[in-house]
Amino acid sequence: MPYRSELYMHDLDREVTAALNTFPKFTELLEAYHANFDEKAFRFRYLSSAIRLSEKQMPGIYNLLPPVCDQLSIPVPELYYLKSTELNAWTYGSVRPYVVVTSELVEKLPVDLISSVLAHECGHIACKHTLYHSIAALLINGVENSPLALIPAIRRLLKPALVQALRFWDRCSELSADRAAVLCDGNAKKTVDTLLKVHGYDENINLDEFLKQALDLKAFVNDSKSNKFLEQMITQFDDHPRMATRVYECYEWSKSAQYQGIVDGTYTIEEKRAEEQRCSEEEVVSAEVAFTAEQQQDKPGLEEINQALQRVDSELERYTSRADKFDYAVAVGSGILSGIIDSVFVGEIEITGNDINLSHEQVNRFIQDYAADRGLDSTHLKDAISDLEQTFKVAQDNVWKGAGISVSAKNHHLADLAHHPTPLGLMASLVVQFLRIGTFVNREGEWHFFLVETHPKDLLQILAPAILTGILNWLAAAAEQHYKAQDGNEIPTSLHTIVHLIASTPMLIEIVKCADNWFGHLVSDMGGSKNTAGGGMGIPGVFLSLLYEIASLPGLKNSGLPQFVNNLYQNQKLDLRRELPLYKAAGKQAFPVIFNELMVRIGFLFTHLARELKRHDGVKGINWSNVIPLKNRTVDRMLAVASMTFTVADTADAAIRAAIESGANWVLFAGRFVTRFNYVGAGRAAVAIVREVSNEKRETQLIHEKMLLSEAKASLFLEQLQQFKTQLEEKVSNYLAEDIEAFLSGFDYMRQGLDAGDSDLVIRGNVIIQKVLGREPQFTNQEEFDALMGSDVPLTL
């Protein structure tokens, strides 16, 4: 059953052909040139140098051709056998197309695969590729080396954009010809096998595995716009699609309903046109939707994308580590040296009863001094606490009583967040003052909120400064608007800030008074209540308060950590007075940690400054961001290495000394180890590791963001390139219209003259063409031509 090309032609082939045919004058000029000059020259070449096959000349090869032509409904073209070491075949000519096969192809391919090659070439004829296909063949080595360059009109038209369009069509046309081969072969396997053989691959290739490879290629190209752009850049100068692409197209199409319908005769021209109509309507709807979406959301321009890329590159520079072996050596050396300092000068940290007693005395003395500064004329601790309690009262101090929320007199300082010497404690105090809500967290980590008793005078004290602040800020804003209306300029930002800061003074004063009251109340509770002055439960320290606040977070409150912290405070009596010795011990342990930090940063500064000086041969041109040891990813990496090295060295030292001093007693070993271990150093190492992980995550995010921006830029570039190509083709077509008309007119006169034997018409056509080419004709009539022939002047065509 014959197959009509309209049914199997590839959509890309059809679309690009339609685009090229929008240059009708160009097409007519190419047809005239090709039919009158180029095609005749090539036919002369093959008639004179190749072997024309027939039923009497290499019939084994020739007889493969007629059945293929019957299947594709085309006349049998001439078939030439050309001696060549190249394994190839091609179709040429537009008026009388012919097929050429090389001796290498005939010798290397089995007969059934030669039939597939011929089906492919006849597919070009059936799809009417021959004109553009022949022109594209002339452009393989570029416009400069093509015979088309001899004609200025064509040369001017064949700009890079149009040449690329022709090459792209040439590649698309191969996909239609491959479909013709699949139809004639009866399946895609034979066509794929032919493609592999033509490309030099033998029978050892596993076709199934190669099909998987072809599918992987398609998936990779479709993965992103940047990959598609990369494919176009790589293949833009190719005259054939890549082998894997052709294999994929053949294989996928052979499984389609379209292929099956063509084979069994159910896929008709009417159905094809209806399908194209549906596709066209869908494209219109898609275009309308896309246009509406674009109206609703402006796409970023090239300038915005470049600015975003510049920002990402700048930030990526900050998050990219460039530490080398020398930097790592400095970090490791600093960590080891700091470990030695810790072992020799810090050594064992042990908190004794004397340390705790001293801490109690210091806290009591602080309470007394604070009360004395406030005007108390007494040296007794009980009097100082009583005076501070009266001066700095808090509204939520007793609201927990009888509430049944597992808060008691022993742990209410820990449960009431407003009694924490932390930023959250100050915030809870402000909430009590201005919103009249107390915030408590019990030992199970459960949060409770209580409205505290509020009197009219309390409301007046809260609302008056807030209302006054609002009025003053409104007046300031009105004054700014008046200034703008009169002067036409905005008030300077610094002046705006100062004015509104002054206008907010009433509220700021209340906030300061609340903070002062919060701190004063904390001081009154540091040494216990007035009834247990110096011996009762004080407020929790900074460390315990922060730990309790963290323990009450949703993800940790059910972990048992709140009960553990509550036990430390309530049963182990770990309040602020017992924490102070820990702060002193931490300060002592912090010495080698700080030394390690400084050594790394100073080492980085001097080594990298020396490199920059050497690189730039002086101070001029130094990139200080590569030298300053702050906000630098390389420094962060070095600090992480140095901190971990220090912790490893400290752990080894503590373990060795504990083993020697314990005499193989594990209980003593554990006791000695914990007193020598540097907890500040371990904490610094943990912070460094967290920071390093955070840096890695941010670097990954920035790289991903850069990829997305680069893809958007490539997409925008492709759109602009397509617009430029369309505009260029339109302008060139309009520009050459007159020249092409003249060429066609000249060819018509010459053809009429040759057909009628009228030399004057031939000469007239020659004169027109010579003038378009920018030449002065050597003769304008028969008499001048005869005179030229009788002279020694050479004839110029």
Side-chain angles (χ1 to χ4, degrees):
M1 181 182 65
Y3 304 118
R4 298 182 61 174
S5 61
E6 296 94 331
L7 297 178
Y8 61 80
M9 183 180 289
H10 197 282
D11 290 338
L12 283 175
D13 180 10
R14 191 188 316 278
E15 291 170 6
V16 182
T17 302
L20 289 173
N21 287 338
T22 57
F23 298 89
K25 299 298 181 183
F26 172 62
T27 305
E28 291 175 20
L29 177 60
L30 288 178
E31 286 177 338
Y33 164 78
H34 199 60
N36 286 280
F37 297 98
D38 203 60
E39 183 176 340
K40 291 181 179 180
F42 274 85
R43 191 158 188 270
F44 173 80
R45 172 190 171 187
Y46 293 124
L47 281 172
S48 60
S49 305
I51 304 297
R52 185 171 63 184
L53 306 188
S54 66
E55 294 177 347
K56 297 180 180 180
Q57 185 71 268
M58 299 178 66
I61 301 300
Y62 177 79
N63 288 336
L64 299 172
L65 184 60
V68 169
C69 296
D70 289 341
Q71 285 183 287
L72 299 179
S73 298
I74 62 171
V76 179
E78 291 183 338
L79 178 61
Y80 290 94
Y81 174 84
L82 181 68
K83 191 68 177 178
S84 172
T85 58
E86 183 180 0
L87 196 153
N88 201 1
W90 59 89
T91 305
Y92 205 78
S94 57
V95 178
R96 293 179 60 184
Y98 51 88
V99 178
V100 180
V101 293
T102 64
S103 56
E104 186 75 4
L105 181 135
V106 172
E107 292 170 7
K108 291 293 179 65
L109 257 62
V111 172
D112 61 329
L113 296 190
I114 295 176
S115 175
S116 181
V117 172
L118 293 176
H120 173 92
E121 299 304 328
C122 288
H124 284 305
I125 299 173
C127 293
K128 299 179 175 57
H129 292 157
T130 50
L131 174 63
Y132 287 135
H133 205 60
S134 300
I135 298 302
L138 295 174
L139 297 173
I140 290 177
N141 296 320
V143 178
E144 297 296 333
N145 299 319
S146 168
L148 298 173
L150 300 175
I151 303 177
I154 298 180
R155 180 186 178 89
R156 275 182 285 171
L157 183 62
L158 289 174
K159 297 297 182 183
L162 189 54
V163 171
Q164 292 304 319
L166 278 166
R167 287 184 176 274
F168 180 62
W169 170 85
D170 198 17
R171 295 194 294 275
C172 296
S173 71
E174 297 297 331
L175 302 179
S176 295
D178 284 342
R179 288 186 175 186
V182 172
L183 286 169
C184 293
D185 292 340
N187 57 69
K189 184 178 182 303
K190 183 178 176 182
T191 311
V192 170
D193 196 20
T194 303
L195 287 170
L196 290 170
K197 294 291 193 302
V198 169
H199 283 83
Y201 296 98
D202 57 25
E203 61 276 0
N204 294 325
I205 301 298
N206 186 315
L207 291 182
D208 291 335
E209 286 300 311
F210 187 72
L211 285 173
K212 292 180 182 179
Q213 176 183 329
L215 292 171
D216 288 343
L217 171 65
K218 189 68 175 180
F220 172 76
V221 171
N222 290 334
D223 185 54
S224 66
K225 291 181 179 178
S226 58
N227 287 359
K228 290 182 180 178
F229 177 67
L230 179 65
E231 182 204 30
Q232 292 179 21
M233 292 296 291
I234 292 174
T235 62
Q236 62 179 324
F237 298 109
D238 292 354
D239 56 348
H240 281 64
R242 296 298 170 99
M243 178 177 63
T245 301
R246 295 175 68 179
V247 167
Y248 169 83
E249 290 286 343
C250 290
Y251 177 70
E252 286 296 303
W253 186 69
S254 70
K255 297 191 302 180
S256 68
Q258 183 187 34
Y259 169 80
Q260 192 59 45
I262 294 173
V263 171
D264 59 27
T266 58
Y267 190 71
T268 63
I269 292 293
E270 290 73 19
E271 185 175 346
K272 175 68 174 175
R273 289 172 180 168
E275 181 181 305
E276 291 174 354
Q277 180 66 24
R278 286 195 301 271
C279 292
S280 177
E281 291 172 355
E282 290 174 1
E283 288 174 0
V284 170
V285 173
S286 300
E288 290 175 350
V289 172
F291 180 71
T292 304
E294 189 171 335
Q295 284 181 320
Q296 294 174 350
Q297 183 178 4
D298 293 336
K299 294 172 65 176
L302 185 60
E303 184 177 353
E304 289 85 351
I305 293 176
N306 284 334
Q307 289 176 354
L309 276 171
Q310 187 176 4
R311 173 188 59 79
V312 170
D313 285 336
S314 176
E315 196 171 353
L316 193 58
E317 181 74 16
R318 156 73 180 87
Y319 282 96
T320 301
S321 172
R322 291 180 172 79
D324 55 21
K325 293 180 180 179
F326 191 79
D327 291 323
Y328 287 125
V330 170
V332 172
S334 176
I336 293 173
L337 180 59
S338 300
I340 294 172
I341 293 173
D342 177 70
S343 176
V344 175
F345 296 101
V346 177
E348 186 177 7
I349 299 295
E350 188 174 3
I351 299 174
T352 65
N354 290 333
D355 294 323
I356 296 174
N357 291 334
L358 178 61
S359 174
H360 276 67
E361 292 176 6
Q362 290 173 333
V363 169
N364 293 340
R365 192 178 306 115
F366 176 77
I367 296 170
Q368 291 172 299
D369 291 342
Y370 188 79
D373 292 338
R374 291 281 179 167
L376 177 66
D377 186 15
S378 175
T379 58
H380 294 93
L381 177 62
K382 181 178 179 180
D383 294 336
I385 294 175
S386 178
D387 181 71
L388 292 176
E389 286 179 349
Q390 291 298 319
T391 304
F392 302 105
K393 291 182 178 181
V394 291
Q396 86 287 359
D397 215 7
N398 294 309
V399 296
W400 50 269
K401 291 183 177 179
I405 59 171
S406 300
V407 175
S408 65
K410 291 184 177 181
N411 73 345
H412 81 280
H413 285 165
L414 180 66
D416 181 8
L417 296 188
H419 278 81
H420 288 197
T422 62
L424 184 59
L426 174 59
M427 187 180 299
S429 178
L430 293 172
V431 170
V432 171
Q433 176 63 24
F434 295 107
L435 300 180
R436 313 303 289 174
I437 298 174
T439 307
F440 293 81
V441 178
N442 65 15
R443 58 174 174 262
E444 281 78 31
E446 299 170 344
W447 289 63
H448 297 276
F449 302 94
F450 294 97
L451 289 174
V452 301
E453 186 178 0
T454 305
H455 299 286
K457 65 175 183 179
D458 297 324
L459 289 175
L460 180 63
Q461 185 180 359
I462 296 169
L463 294 177
I467 293 172
L468 183 57
T469 296
I471 293 172
L472 291 175
N473 275 280
W474 175 75
L475 291 173
E480 289 178 0
Q481 291 296 327
H482 180 73
Y483 172 83
K484 182 179 179 181
Q486 293 289 328
D487 191 73
N489 295 320
E490 296 279 354
I491 188 172
T493 304
S494 57
L495 183 58
H496 167 85
T497 303
I498 293 172
V499 168
H500 283 276
L501 190 62
I502 295 173
S504 302
T505 300
M507 200 65 193
L508 292 175
I509 291 174
E510 287 302 312
I511 292 174
V512 171
K513 287 168 62 177
C514 180
D516 179 64
N517 187 78
W518 168 71
F519 183 75
H521 188 78
L522 290 183
V523 175
S524 73
D525 286 338
M526 284 181 182
S529 67
K530 61 184 177 182
N531 297 324
T532 57
M537 286 299 297
I539 63 171
V542 175
F543 171 75
L544 202 69
S545 296
L546 289 172
L547 186 60
Y548 196 65
E549 291 164 8
I550 294 172
S552 64
L553 294 175
L556 294 173
K557 73 174 187 176
N558 296 323
S559 64
L561 187 57
Q563 295 93 323
F564 174 75
V565 178
N566 183 83
N567 181 64
L568 288 177
Y569 176 74
Q570 184 175 330
N571 300 327
Q572 303 300 322
K573 311 277 185 201
L574 186 60
D575 60 7
L576 177 65
R577 293 167 294 184
R578 285 180 174 265
E579 271 194 25
L580 287 178
L582 295 177
Y583 301 158
K584 294 177 182 178
K588 187 177 180 182
Q589 287 192 336
F591 172 73
V593 177
I594 295 173
F595 175 83
N596 191 23
E597 185 105 3
L598 291 176
M599 281 292 293
V600 169
R601 294 187 185 274
I602 293 172
F604 174 87
L605 173 64
F606 283 107
T607 55
H608 284 260
L609 178 60
R611 293 179 188 177
E612 288 289 318
L613 289 172
K614 183 178 180 181
R615 183 180 302 149
H616 298 284
D617 197 22
V619 178
K620 188 176 181 181
I622 287 180
N623 184 356
W624 291 101
S625 62
N626 294 335
V627 176
I628 303 300
L630 299 171
K631 294 184 178 180
N632 189 301
R633 176 70 189 283
T634 302
V635 174
D636 292 342
R637 177 69 59 82
M638 292 174 68
L639 287 172
V641 173
S643 299
M644 288 187 287
T645 302
F646 169 76
T647 299
V648 170
D650 171 66
T651 303
D653 173 71
I656 292 171
R657 289 179 179 271
I660 294 173
E661 294 171 4
S662 65
N665 186 314
W666 285 104
V667 176
L668 290 177
F669 173 84
R672 305 307 294 175
F673 178 82
V674 297
T675 60
R676 297 197 67 88
F677 184 74
N678 193 309
Y679 297 95
V680 177
R684 179 65 183 93
V687 170
I689 293 171
V690 170
R691 186 177 182 85
E692 187 65 19
V693 172
S694 175
N695 286 339
E696 289 286 348
K697 181 179 179 181
R698 181 57 182 158
E699 183 181 7
T700 303
Q701 291 173 341
L702 289 170
I703 292 173
H704 180 65
E705 187 176 352
K706 184 174 182 179
M707 289 176 63
L708 293 177
L709 287 169
S710 299
E711 186 172 321
K713 185 175 181 180
S715 175
L716 187 62
F717 173 74
L718 283 174
E719 289 178 9
Q720 293 176 342
L721 191 64
Q722 185 62 36
Q723 292 173 3
F724 171 75
K725 174 185 172 183
T726 303
Q727 294 170 1
L728 181 63
E729 290 172 349
E730 184 177 344
K731 289 180 180 179
V732 171
S733 180
N734 295 334
Y735 174 73
L736 293 176
E738 293 182 4
D739 280 0
I740 294 175
E741 288 284 358
F743 261 109
L744 294 175
S745 175
F747 282 129
D748 285 341
Y749 279 124
M750 294 179 71
R751 186 179 295 108
Q752 292 172 16
L754 290 172
D755 292 342
D758 188 340
S759 60
D760 287 334
L761 287 177
V762 175
I763 292 172
R764 182 186 300 179
N766 176 67
V767 170
I768 293 173
I769 292 174
Q770 292 294 333
K771 287 183 177 180
V772 175
L773 295 176
R775 301 173 184 171
E776 188 63 33
Q778 290 180 296
F779 52 90
T780 60
N781 52 48
Q782 184 67 46
E783 184 179 345
E784 292 179 3
F785 176 76
D786 293 337
L788 179 65
M789 292 295 97
S791 69
D792 295 330
V793 178
L795 174 64
T796 303
L797 296 178

